[in-house]
Amino acid sequence: MRVEMLRRYPVKSMLGEEVGQSEVTERGLAGDRVRAVLDVATGKIASAKNPRLWRGLLTIEGARVPGDVELSRMLGREVRVIDVPPAGAEFERSVPEQVLAEGIEAEVPHTVGTLGGASPDGTFFDFAPIHLISTSAVERIGALSPRGRVEAVRYRPNLVIATDAEGFPENAWAGRELHVGDELVLKVIVATPRCAVPTLAHGPLDRDTEALRTVARHNRVPVFDMGPQPCAGVYARVLRPGPVRKGDRVTPAG
């Protein structure tokens, strides 16, 4: 296995960028999710997991964020960009099945989450600082989708890992270490339950509801105490920091 693609997302829920190499610390890839958008009215972190309010974030390049006034105009709510999360920072996650059933304009039920269950304090990750997905999973989802393809960037990975196995090989990585290159060691925690974000328009990419529907039909994996969830990719934390480069060998251990 090897690293096929590296991506970081300078502002949470905005468009990311591909990089050729990066340092990786316990806080993830350098420059990843170092800022976020704060909804001034609610005090919550803006997340495209609530598409009705925040899908517009996925039209904005995270590396070129406009000022707060212009950003508020674009998003239709008063917001500001922050680089330190408020204490107890929360975000909303619309129930994905309801978004699929009722559409992105509908006001559907949502859950409220807190940032960083498996991340260092002061970061903007929903859960863990590293998200990986295999080329096998992307190819399998695409093959099963009526479109015949799906784009890896819809799942917002940090690392896309080139794999030869068929299906969803990363499902078996939970609890294992991944040695990446000469120094970096990751510990895979759990499969990544998918929200509505992969279905949304991402910059030039149109909406694709099958990016979630196909996963829901063909890859439900138990996640903690939530039971089987539609999953694509896995979350990981950093056991040993180090550099990562496109093309680095990836070796499972443990």
Side-chain angles (χ1 to χ4, degrees), residues 170-176 187-191 234:
E170 60 266 57
N171 290 352
W173 298 349
R176 303 184 70 185
K187 179 65 174 287
V188 178
I189 303 170
V190 70
V234 289

Side-chain angles (χ1 to χ4, degrees), residues 9-67:
Y9 308 85
V11 180
K12 179 179 174 60
S13 277
M14 290 189 185
L15 295 174
E17 57 188 4
E18 186 171 351
V19 295
Q21 61 183 23
S22 177
E23 289 294 324
V24 182
T25 70
E26 63 176 3
R27 301 173 75 88
L29 273 68
D32 188 40
R33 275 102 167 179
V34 292
R35 297 196 289 170
V37 175
L38 182 74
D39 183 354
V40 172
T42 66
K44 291 185 172 66
I45 300 297
S47 170
K49 292 182 189 307
N50 182 337
R52 183 179 67 85
L53 294 181
W54 303 116
R55 65 185 183 274
L57 291 168
L58 288 168
T59 68
I60 302 168
E61 296 284 348
R64 293 186 289 275
V65 185

Side-chain angles (χ1 to χ4, degrees), residues 12-14 33 45-58 90-100 103-104 106-116 124-128 131 154-156 192-200 202 207 212 230 232 235:
K12 179 179 174 60
S13 277
M14 290 189 185
R33 275 102 167 179
I45 300 297
S47 170
K49 292 182 189 307
N50 182 337
R52 183 179 67 85
L53 294 181
W54 303 116
R55 65 185 183 274
L57 291 168
L58 288 168
E90 297 178 332
F91 64 92
E92 294 177 350
R93 181 184 191 268
S94 298
V95 176
E97 293 81 1
Q98 293 294 113
V99 176
L100 288 177
I104 54 178
E107 188 166 353
V108 301
H110 65 266
T111 57
V112 176
T114 55
L115 295 178
F124 289 107
F125 300 104
D126 288 348
F127 179 60
H131 177 235
R154 291 185 179 277
Y155 300 99
R156 297 176 68 79
T192 306
R194 303 317 317 196
C195 61
V197 168
T199 72
L200 304 177
H202 283 61
R207 190 159 184 248
L212 176 58
Y235 283 125

Side-chain angles (χ1 to χ4, degrees), residues 25 28 31 39 55 74 110 119 153 161 180 191:
T25 70
D39 183 354
R55 65 185 183 274
M74 293 171 69
H110 65 266
S119 301
V153 297
I161 308 298
V180 183

